[in-house]
Amino acid sequence: MWGKYSPFGVCRKYRNYLVLSLAFSILLIPILDTAIVQRDRNRNMLYGELFLTNGVSVYDLTDQELNETYSIPEDHLLTGVLNVSYEYPVVTLVFFASLAALEPGTFGPHYLANIVLAIIMHFNMVLFLYIGQDHWDKKWFKHFFLLYYIFGITLAIGFGKAEPLVDLFWLISLALYRNEKILGSGAMLGVAAQTKLYPAMTLPIIAIANPLLIISFVIVAGILFLPMLLAGINYDTLIQHLLNSTSYASTISNPFYLGLVGVNPLAVVAPTVLIITFLYCILETRNYRGIPVITIKLRTRKWQSIVIFALPLVLILFSWVLIWYYYWFIIPVLYLRDEQDQRKYRYMFIGILLAHFLGVFLNFEYFLSGPILEFLGHLKLI
């Protein structure tokens, strides 16, 4: 084990802040529930309830079929731009099924889900601090921890999303990796990827250096997928999402999606901003009249660092991207070991936000009549 503090030591050191934050978060849950239609939470709880009686066959049920077969409230279904079957892997389904088994009332309010996710999120913060304990006094670490805290707590108590659960397994995997427990790290990464897919993006970074990690990752991920495979269930909806199929979503929600260029040539500006930000992070710069200009010389030759900087670029390839997807790219900063790389990674988030708002501005009519209107449908006060 590295560092001065164990996870329990981190808990003891920051126990007052953690208790205060958790208490405040739980108090906010019913307040936020009156203002936000937490469709993902409600829908996950609904599928979890159906899983208890129907098993994995719930993966075949779309929102339209749910609406026609069961008396489902509108706030437990996705908005009209989506009519998809259940998309999340089996660990997420079992998690929400467990909560549904404990919670009275099929259609909520599902406060239990928010409370459990808030508790998990506070465990995640302990792990985040534990893994990054050598950098507590660094500005870049404080910035990322604050960003992680705001994003994570909001997703837990305001939307009831599965991300805190995913990150719990992902951070445990990273902690095990740092402690050179490679097989355990791969196994936990396999669990994380079978909760939601996004932690798998770091697999190439750590697996090449430690091939044993791939073995335990594949075994655990395969075991978790096996019941679905035997039942003839596959992740069709997830595949449609990744392939930008119009059968998944009838609109484009990603402001810096490359495909928007075919509709509006000016849309190329937004993804270009993100690409330039990436180049700024990996290439050396020279000052030209006080302005840093990128050169063609690599600033770092660590391929792992270059891959981590490149991860957010994947977003420009997908038409359906929501703003909380940006949260997925915070934890990878903990894989970076070079101080300059860690500081530079902040610019990737600046680039993401700049590309986002530029993309909305340059395609304002489309986003105002489509994705923005759809987003406002999640607010009860409008």
Side-chain angles (χ1 to χ4, degrees), residues 94-245:
V94 171
F95 172 75
F96 282 101
S98 302
L99 295 179
L102 295 172
E103 181 189 73
T106 303
F107 300 128
H110 304 292
Y111 295 158
L112 179 62
N114 296 107
I115 292 170
V116 172
L117 289 167
I119 293 170
I120 291 173
M121 186 59 207
H122 282 78
F123 280 121
N124 293 348
M125 288 187 287
V126 170
L127 289 171
F128 198 101
L129 289 167
Y130 167 65
I131 295 167
Q133 62 184 278
D134 293 338
H135 308 288
W136 287 351
D137 60 336
K138 307 291 175 52
K139 283 186 178 180
W140 69 263
F141 183 82
K142 293 175 181 177
H143 293 161
F144 276 111
F145 181 78
L146 181 61
L147 185 65
Y148 185 72
Y149 175 77
I150 293 171
F151 249 122
I153 289 295
T154 301
L155 292 178
I157 68 175
F159 294 93
K161 295 187 66 63
E163 270 75 358
L165 179 66
V166 184
D167 285 2
L168 176 64
F169 300 129
W170 192 6
L171 287 165
I172 291 173
S173 170
L174 179 51
L176 290 172
Y177 182 77
R178 287 288 186 88
N179 284 308
E180 299 182 353
K181 297 178 179 179
I182 304 304
L183 289 176
S185 176
M188 290 309 300
L189 192 62
V191 176
Q194 283 292 345
T195 309
K196 244 183 177 180
L197 185 62
Y198 65 87
M201 66 184 171
T202 56
L203 185 62
I205 301 165
I206 49 182
I208 292 178
N210 296 279
L212 281 176
L213 191 146
I214 288 220
I215 296 173
S216 56
F217 173 88
V218 170
I219 290 174
V220 170
I223 289 172
L224 290 171
F225 182 66
L226 186 60
M228 297 181 60
L229 185 65
L230 294 175
I233 304 294
N234 52 46
Y235 295 138
D236 283 342
T237 300
L238 179 59
I239 293 170
Q240 290 171 10
H241 187 173
L242 296 175
L243 294 178
N244 300 318
S245 172

Side-chain angles (χ1 to χ4, degrees), residues 368-380:
L368 182 62
S369 61
I372 293 176
L373 195 63
E374 193 273 338
F375 174 77
L376 293 177
H378 289 79
L379 303 179
K380 293 181 180 179

Side-chain angles (χ1 to χ4, degrees), residues 60-78:
D60 291 328
L61 295 172
T62 66
D63 278 37
Q64 182 178 347
E65 290 166 335
L66 286 173
N67 193 34
E68 293 173 352
T69 308
Y70 304 91
S71 300
I72 306 300
E74 185 272 338
D75 65 352
H76 279 61
L77 302 172
L78 298 175

Side-chain angles (χ1 to χ4, degrees), residues 190-361:
V191 176
Q194 283 292 345
T195 309
K196 244 183 177 180
L197 185 62
Y198 65 87
M201 66 184 171
T202 56
L203 185 62
I205 301 165
I206 49 182
I208 292 178
N210 296 279
L212 281 176
L213 191 146
I214 288 220
I215 296 173
S216 56
F217 173 88
V218 170
I219 290 174
V220 170
I223 289 172
L224 290 171
F225 182 66
L226 186 60
M228 297 181 60
L229 185 65
L230 294 175
I233 304 294
N234 52 46
Y235 295 138
D236 283 342
T237 300
L238 179 59
I239 293 170
Q240 290 171 10
H241 187 173
L242 296 175
L243 294 178
N244 300 318
S245 172
T246 54
S247 62
Y248 178 84
S250 59
T251 62
I252 295 171
S253 67
N254 182 4
F256 45 90
Y257 172 50
L258 275 175
L260 283 170
V261 177
V263 180
N264 175 16
L266 287 177
V268 74
V269 173
T272 300
V273 165
L274 195 54
I275 293 169
I276 290 174
T277 305
F278 165 70
L279 294 175
Y280 174 79
C281 288
I282 67 164
L283 299 176
E284 289 190 357
T285 61
R286 59 181 177 84
N287 282 330
Y288 176 75
R289 297 182 178 180
I291 301 173
V293 178
I294 56 176
T295 68
I296 59 172
K297 184 178 180 182
L298 282 172
R299 178 189 59 79
T300 176
R301 295 188 180 276
K302 297 177 181 176
W303 68 267
Q304 296 96 332
S305 297
I306 294 173
V307 171
I308 290 172
F309 281 117
L311 289 177
L313 295 181
V314 173
L315 292 175
I316 69 177
L317 303 176
F318 300 108
S319 61
W320 187 261
V321 169
L322 301 172
I323 197 165
W324 53 76
Y325 289 20
Y326 308 158
Y327 166 85
W328 300 351
F329 299 93
I330 299 175
I331 287 178
V333 72
L334 297 175
Y335 286 89
L336 295 169
R337 307 303 290 269
D338 180 80
E339 184 74 23
Q340 189 178 13
D341 288 342
Q342 291 159 338
R343 292 197 306 269
K344 284 276 190 181
Y345 192 66
R346 290 176 295 183
Y347 292 108
M348 288 308 302
F349 271 84
I350 295 172
I352 289 172
L353 294 176
L354 185 57
H356 177 92
F357 289 110
L358 267 174
V360 172
F361 175 76

